[in-house]
Amino acid sequence: MKMIEKEIENQNKGTASPQENLPALPKALFKKPWLSLLSVLAAGVFLMLTWWKIDVFGIRWPISVVIISLLYILNAFLQEKKIPTSSWILIAIAILTASIHFFRVEVMSDMFAFMVSALCLLLLSADFLNGQWWQYRIREYLKQALRAVAAFFVGLPTMLSQLNSDRNSKDGNGTQGKKIALSIIKGVLIAVPLLLIFTFLFSVADEIFENRLDAVVQWMRTQFLQDLLGRVLLTLFFSWLAAAGLWFLVSNKQKPLKIEPDEAFFKPFLGMTETSIVLVSLNLLFAFFLLIQFQYFFAGKANISLEGFTYAEYARRGFVELLWAASIAGLVFYALAAVTKRESKARQTAFSILSSLLLVQVGVILVASYQRILLYEDAYGLTHVRLIPQIFTFFLAAILLALVVMEWRKQFKRLALVLLVAFILFTITVAGINVDQRIARVNIERAIEGKKLDYEYLVYQLSDDAVPYMFEKIESGDLPDGIRANLTKVLVCRDSQEPSRQRPWLENNFPRQKAAEYYASRQDLLSQYPLEVKEFKGAQGFQIGETFLYCGYSD
């Protein structure tokens, strides 16, 4: 009581208590903690059912995004808070990008879709009830990332602690038995994940410990008990994550972030002289590189041949490195803009001119990089590592252009939004063009022109996204007989590697279902090319030129 009275006295005097000077995480106040806890447990159960015994990613992720979005919406109503329009937009973006998993099997498309939708969920957790995510700068992203780490550890314990406090406030001091029971529950929920982690580490580290542990839990060897324990633990894990996200959401509802005015995160410390030396040096280096490009690369094949290179050999070197150079140049520009002192108008103008000149040269380098990718594709065919950089080049150029505009308008606070929008549009573009179908189409068209076709790539590297196109191309009558036969063998080989195409609904999606229908309805076509067997190895497949297309082993 004396400490409380002293605290009140300090506040009345306008002086800060020692505790006020210490950084503290916001206290999450749930208006209806029991209902919030039930919603967390329900979300944990549904997520467990979604991810139990995962074999293929399938459509699990978009379903999970919907479950988490519904959890947040429900708890916004429980908190009696209106959901801002910007948060509804972010929910739509998260569900839209996650739904790419319904329509694509190709790895890069699914990976980018997962990354974008996961980022949207983190933004929802950080700013669902305020709706300021679109105003975030880079610093807000970093701060919220650190708070997300804290949320993982304090989310569920904070919720249980408030349940205990609310019960005591309603029932006076509460009965000793109830307090002990709630304390036991909290202790168990905190201890179980830690016990699992250390038990696993000790089991891997010491074989005798693992054997003793096996003897202790021998009664759990039945499949029913194993499944039951696994489901309970998985439910607790997802409930813990859901509670962390919910605490993150509720803890940010009290005070909107002060984003205006756009003050510097730290005081600039680098002089204009030092920055000018860096920018002038980089501009000269980039100008010299571009001079070489205009003399040899852009001028055509003749000048390159004089240096002892073929055009394809010269083009295939360095397109990834040039993309890295362009990306790093953009980061260097942003860093210099943040740390350079520009007190006078003349210095601001000088910095803008030098930095803009650098970014313009970077844009020309991106053109050179894109040309190299196209020439490499023409010489050796299209692959994932050649197509994805092609798409990325356009978005990187747009980001660099945005940097120039922001420099002249002094609006760098929008950089985080520009990067987020670019990432979202890049992901949608990659999914929209159907990467694997495009690779198959370009390479087959090259084969029709008489160029080499990598049949192994069609078998091992492409997903079911490309299967309908390959069947349709075979049946179109546009292919020479040799290519048609070899392409049919590719499909026979792919079909033999997956004897059963009956999948659980969570592991299925539209491309897999459509590919299964094509294979099932065209068995007459596929049966024309039975698998060949190499006698001395027992390997099944097809001999196409000098390449043996391996499809499996004979029984």
Side-chain angles (χ1 to χ4, degrees), residues 174-432:
T175 62
Q176 187 69 18
K178 292 179 179 179
K179 292 170 64 176
I180 294 175
L182 192 57
S183 298
I184 291 174
I185 293 174
K186 289 191 291 184
V188 169
L189 289 174
I190 296 173
V192 166
L194 297 175
L195 288 173
L196 290 175
I197 292 172
F198 285 109
T199 300
F200 171 75
L201 293 175
F202 291 153
S203 298
V204 173
D206 192 292
E207 188 174 353
I208 296 178
F209 177 84
E210 183 181 13
N211 294 334
R212 295 292 185 270
L213 186 65
D214 288 342
V216 171
V217 297
Q218 189 65 37
W219 61 276
M220 297 172 57
R221 291 300 184 184
T222 64
Q223 188 64 42
F224 172 77
L225 289 176
Q226 288 181 3
D227 287 352
L228 179 61
L229 179 62
R231 288 177 183 271
V232 170
L233 293 177
L234 193 59
T235 300
L236 289 175
F237 172 74
F238 283 126
S239 297
W240 186 284
L241 291 181
L246 204 55
W247 178 90
F248 201 13
L249 180 149
V250 176
S251 67
N252 278 325
K253 78 180 190 306
Q254 301 294 336
K255 295 180 180 179
L257 291 174
K258 293 181 180 180
I259 298 179
E260 297 290 351
D262 187 23
E263 298 178 352
F265 186 60
F266 51 82
K267 186 177 180 180
F269 56 86
L270 194 65
M272 188 60 197
T273 301
E274 299 94 316
T275 298
S276 297
I277 293 173
V278 174
L279 289 176
V280 170
S281 302
L282 290 176
N283 273 300
L284 291 175
L285 175 63
F286 279 47
F288 178 69
F289 178 79
L290 289 177
L291 179 63
I292 300 296
Q293 300 305 293
F294 280 105
Q295 183 179 359
Y296 291 97
F297 187 68
F298 292 126
K301 300 181 180 180
N303 290 341
I304 294 176
S305 299
L306 293 176
E307 297 292 331
F309 295 100
T310 67
Y311 205 45
E313 288 173 343
Y314 187 73
R316 76 175 184 173
R317 292 186 56 189
F319 68 85
V320 174
E321 288 79 3
L322 290 182
L323 288 179
W324 274 107
S327 302
I328 294 173
L331 292 174
V332 169
F333 161 73
Y334 179 71
L336 290 176
V339 304
T340 301
K341 295 183 290 185
R342 292 173 279 174
E343 299 90 346
S344 65
K345 182 70 174 178
R347 292 185 176 184
Q348 292 179 4
T349 303
F351 179 86
S352 297
I353 292 174
L354 288 173
S355 58
S356 298
L357 179 60
L358 176 64
L359 293 181
V360 168
Q361 293 189 93
V362 171
V364 180
I365 288 176
L366 285 179
V367 175
S369 174
Y370 186 75
Q371 284 292 105
R372 286 171 182 260
I373 298 174
L374 293 180
L375 290 169
Y376 197 14
E377 171 190 326
D378 181 67
Y380 299 99
L382 189 60
T383 63
H384 294 91
V385 295
R386 296 166 199 164
L387 178 56
I388 299 299
Q390 285 184 36
I391 305 169
F392 176 71
T393 299
F394 290 98
F395 288 91
L396 181 56
I399 292 171
L400 294 175
L401 178 61
L403 286 174
V404 175
V405 173
M406 286 187 287
E407 165 59 28
W408 285 96
R409 298 189 62 181
K410 302 298 182 282
Q411 291 288 328
F412 275 108
K413 64 182 180 181
R414 300 300 183 207
L415 177 59
L417 181 61
V418 168
L419 295 176
L420 177 62
V421 172
F423 192 17
I424 293 171
L425 294 178
F426 172 73
T427 298
I428 294 174
T429 302
V430 170

Side-chain angles (χ1 to χ4, degrees), residues 412-545:
F412 275 108
K413 64 182 180 181
R414 300 300 183 207
L415 177 59
L417 181 61
V418 168
L419 295 176
L420 177 62
V421 172
F423 192 17
I424 293 171
L425 294 178
F426 172 73
T427 298
I428 294 174
T429 302
V430 170
I433 66 172
N434 195 339
V435 169
D436 281 353
Q437 178 178 304
R438 180 174 177 82
I439 291 174
R441 179 174 61 81
V442 169
N443 290 334
I444 291 172
E445 288 175 355
R446 292 179 70 257
I448 294 175
E449 296 171 358
K451 298 177 181 178
K452 184 180 179 180
L453 177 56
D454 188 349
Y455 292 103
E456 288 181 301
Y457 198 88
L458 298 181
V459 173
Y460 307 130
Q461 300 298 324
L462 299 188
S463 69
D464 284 341
D465 290 343
V467 167
Y469 171 79
M470 288 192 283
F471 271 114
E472 292 167 3
K473 196 65 179 176
I474 290 172
E475 296 170 343
S476 67
D478 298 336
L479 296 176
D481 292 340
I483 298 177
R484 181 182 183 276
N486 290 338
L487 196 56
T488 306
K489 293 176 181 178
V490 165
L491 291 171
V492 171
C493 191
R494 291 177 61 95
D495 189 38
S496 67
Q497 293 178 349
E498 194 169 357
S500 175
R501 293 186 176 272
Q502 297 298 321
R503 294 180 177 273
W505 68 276
L506 284 172
E507 297 179 359
N508 216 341
N509 61 6
F510 294 125
R512 289 193 177 98
Q513 185 64 33
K514 194 171 183 180
E517 293 173 358
Y518 268 89
Y519 281 118
S521 61
R522 289 160 174 80
Q523 285 300 312
D524 291 341
L525 171 66
L526 300 178
S527 62
Q528 298 176 17
Y529 298 92
L531 291 172
E532 304 167 4
V533 179
K534 281 198 169 185
E535 296 181 1
F536 64 94
K537 291 184 178 180
Q540 290 182 319
F542 297 101
Q543 190 70 41
I544 300 179

Side-chain angles (χ1 to χ4, degrees), residues 162-183:
Q162 187 181 342
L163 286 172
N164 185 35
S165 300
D166 289 354
R167 172 61 68 91
N168 288 340
S169 63
K170 291 179 181 179
D171 300 337
N173 293 328
T175 62
Q176 187 69 18
K178 292 179 179 179
K179 292 170 64 176
I180 294 175
L182 192 57
S183 298

